[in-house]
Amino acid sequence: MKIKGLLLFLTIFVLMIPILNYENELIIVQLENRSNEMVGYSETYTPHDSIIIHSNEELLSLGLPGDGSKNNPFIFQNLEIIGSMYGIFVENITYSISILNCNFDQIGYAISLDDMSSSDVEISGNNFTDSNSGIFASYCHLANITNNLFTNCDNGIFSSRNQETIIKNNQVLGFRFRGIRVYGCYAADIRDNKCEKETYGYYPGILIDDIHPSTYVAGNNCSGCSFELQKIRYDIGFENIIVEDNIVNNKPILFLLNISNTQIDTPDYSQIFIYLSENITIKNQNFIEVNMGLSLSECSNMTVENNNFLYNEKRGCQIQNGYNIVLKDNIFENCYIGIYVDETSFCSITSNNISDTYMGAISYISKNDYFNLERNIFENSSFIIGNLYFDAPVGLSINDNIVNGKELGFFFNVSYLSLNAPEYGQLIFVRCNNIIVSSQEISKVYVCIRLVECLNISISDSEFSNSKLGIYLTKTNSTNIVNCNFNELVGSVMFDYSNFNKIKTSTIIGRTGFKSVGEGIYLSYGVYISYSDNCSVSENWIQETNMGIQGHHSEDSLISYNTFTNNLDSGVDLDYCNFFTIHHNNFINNNQGNIQAYDDSPNNQWYDEITTEGNFWSDYSGLGPYEIGGLGNAIDPYPLMIQIPEISRIISISTIVCVIAVTCYLKKKKN
C-alpha cells in the first residue's frame, strides 16, 4: 500500500515538473486542426517574456519542432505576454510561422512581423487587450489574419505591402485610432470583420489605401465607426476590385467603379465611394456620424445636390482628380472638413449651407482651374485655400459668399486697396500688394486673414477671436501688423516662408491645450516664425498661450520690448534658429515656474549689444547670468532686476505730454 502511494506521488511530481518550470520556457505546439471557423479563446495560457527574433539563426536556435515550411510552420501557441514593449517581434526570416491562441495584455506592439517576403504567416485565435498595436505585418508573402479579438487597443490590424493578405472574422472593439488598416497589398481578402466603437470619431474602423487589383472587401460591419477607401492603383489596373455587402451604422456603403449614367436618389447609404465614373447624380442622401460621407475620385460630370452631411469627423464630401463637378444646395453641419477639393477642374460649389464645421471648404486653388465658389453661407465656418504651387489658377471665381453674416472678402491680383470698415467675416489675399486693412472684427473662422504670395500689406487696429489662426502669411513679405488684439486663438500670427514682417503693439491672449476634432491636442502659440528671416516682434503683450513665440528654421530676427506672462510652456522657444536678438522683454511666470525660454542654437543673442542689457526674468535669483534652456547652452548675461514698462504706453504718454507742451508754448507765444 505504501509502495502504491509512493508511486502515485512520484507520478504526480513528474507531471508537475513542466508546470513548475514554465516561466522562461517557450512552449510551441503544432496545431492539427487549423480551420477557418471562429476559434474559441482559451482561458489557459503559459506566461512568457517577450519573444524577439531578428534572423533565421535566432529562430532556429529555439529548437522548434517542424521545418518552417509553408506546410509545416513553426507555431507559437497558448502564450501569455503582459506589460511589455513587444509581445512577439520577428523580422528578416525566410521561414513560415503561425501564432495561435495567445493572449497579449498591455503591450506596446503585440505582434510585429516585418521583412518576411518568402514567408507565410498565420495569426489566428489570439486575444489582444489594452495594447498600442495589435498586429503589424509588413512585407510578408502571405499574411493570414483570422479569428482574433482586440479589446480597447489603439490600433487593431495593420497589413502593409504584403504579397497577399487575408483578414477574416476578426473583432476589433473599442479601438482608439484605426481598427483595420490595409496599405498597398497586392491581393487582399477582407471579409466578415467587426469593428465597433462606443462613439464615432475621426479615425475609421476599416481603412484601405493604395488599393491594388484583386482586392475583395465584403461582409464587414462597422458600428460607431466607418470605412475609408483611398487611392486605387489605376496605373496597374483595377480588375477584380470588389467592395460589397459592407455595413456602417446599420446601413450599407455604396462602392462604384467605372460606372456611368445613373442617379442615386434614395437615402439608403451610410457612405458612398465612387471611382473612375461619369454622369452620376447623388442626391437626397443623409451622411451622418461617419468619418467621410461622399468620396469622388477620377470622376467627371457629377452632380451632388440636396444631401445632408452631418457630423462627418474627417470630410463631408471629398473631390479629387475630377472634372466638371457641381455641388449645390447641400447642408454641412458639425463636420471637420465640409468640402475638400484637390486637382479638379471646372468645380462649382454654389448655394450650400456650411455651419459649425471646423474647416468649411478647402481648395488647393492652384491645382483647380475654373474653380467657382458662389452664394454659399458659412456659419461658424469658413473657406480655406491651400498654398500656391505652380502658376496662378485659371478661371477663378469666388463671389457673394457669406461668413458669419458678413461678406467673404477674396482678393486675387489686387493692388493699392484700402479696407477700413468691419464688413468682412473673413479676408483672403492672393498675390496682392500694397493693401491697407484696418478696423476689422473677425471671429469663429479657421483663418481670420490669409495672405499668400503678397507684398507690402498693412493690418492695424483690428480684433480677431475664437478661431484657429488670426493672421497667416505664406511667401508674403513686408507685412506690418500694428495695434491688433488676438483673443482665444490657437495661433495668433504665423509667418511661413515669409520675410521682413513685423508685429508691433498688439495684445495676444491665447488658448492653452486647445483640443481639435480629429487632430488631438494642439499647442497654441502667440507668434510662429517658420522658415522666415528678418522679422520683428516688438512691444507686444503675449499671455496664456502654450508658447509665446516659437521660431523654427529662421534667422536674423528681433524680439524686443514684449511682455510674456503666464504662458503654459516657454515665453520664447527657438528651434534651429540663428542670429536672433532677444532683449528688453519681460518674462513673467511662464512655464509653470520652470525655465522660461528655450534655445537650441548657440548663435542667438539674449541681450542688447548697445546698452548691454538683457531681459527681465521673474524667476531670476539675482546672481550671475540667467540660463536659457535648450541644446544651445544660451544665457542672458545681463538679466534685468526691474520690469520693462509697456513701451506702447510710454510712447503714448510721452506723445501726449509733447503735444500738450507744444500747444502751451504756441499759445503763450501767441499771447
Side-chain angles (χ1 to χ4, degrees), residues 42 83 251 384:
S42 172
K251 293 174 66 176
I384 302 159

Side-chain angles (χ1 to χ4, degrees), residues 379-395:
E379 188 69 30
N380 295 338
S381 304
S382 58
F383 175 59
I384 302 159
I385 64 166
N387 298 332
L388 299 189
Y389 291 94
F390 307 107
D391 297 330
V394 176

Side-chain angles (χ1 to χ4, degrees), residues 20-36:
L20 295 172
N21 293 278
Y22 64 71
E23 289 189 358
N24 294 312
E25 182 181 354
L26 180 60
I27 307 298
I28 299 183
V29 180
Q30 288 185 294
L31 188 69
E32 296 179 0
N33 182 13
R34 298 163 62 186
S35 69
N36 284 327

Side-chain angles (χ1 to χ4, degrees), residues 495 498-501 529 532-537 556-558:
F495 300 148
S498 299
N499 304 319
F500 300 100
N501 299 295
I529 305 171
S532 300
D533 302 333
N534 296 288
C535 294
S536 174
V537 184
D556 297 304
S557 293
L558 173 66

Side-chain angles (χ1 to χ4, degrees), residues 87 144 171 200 234 469 534 625:
N144 186 4
Q171 296 186 49
Y200 79 103
Y234 301 113
L469 299 174
N534 296 288

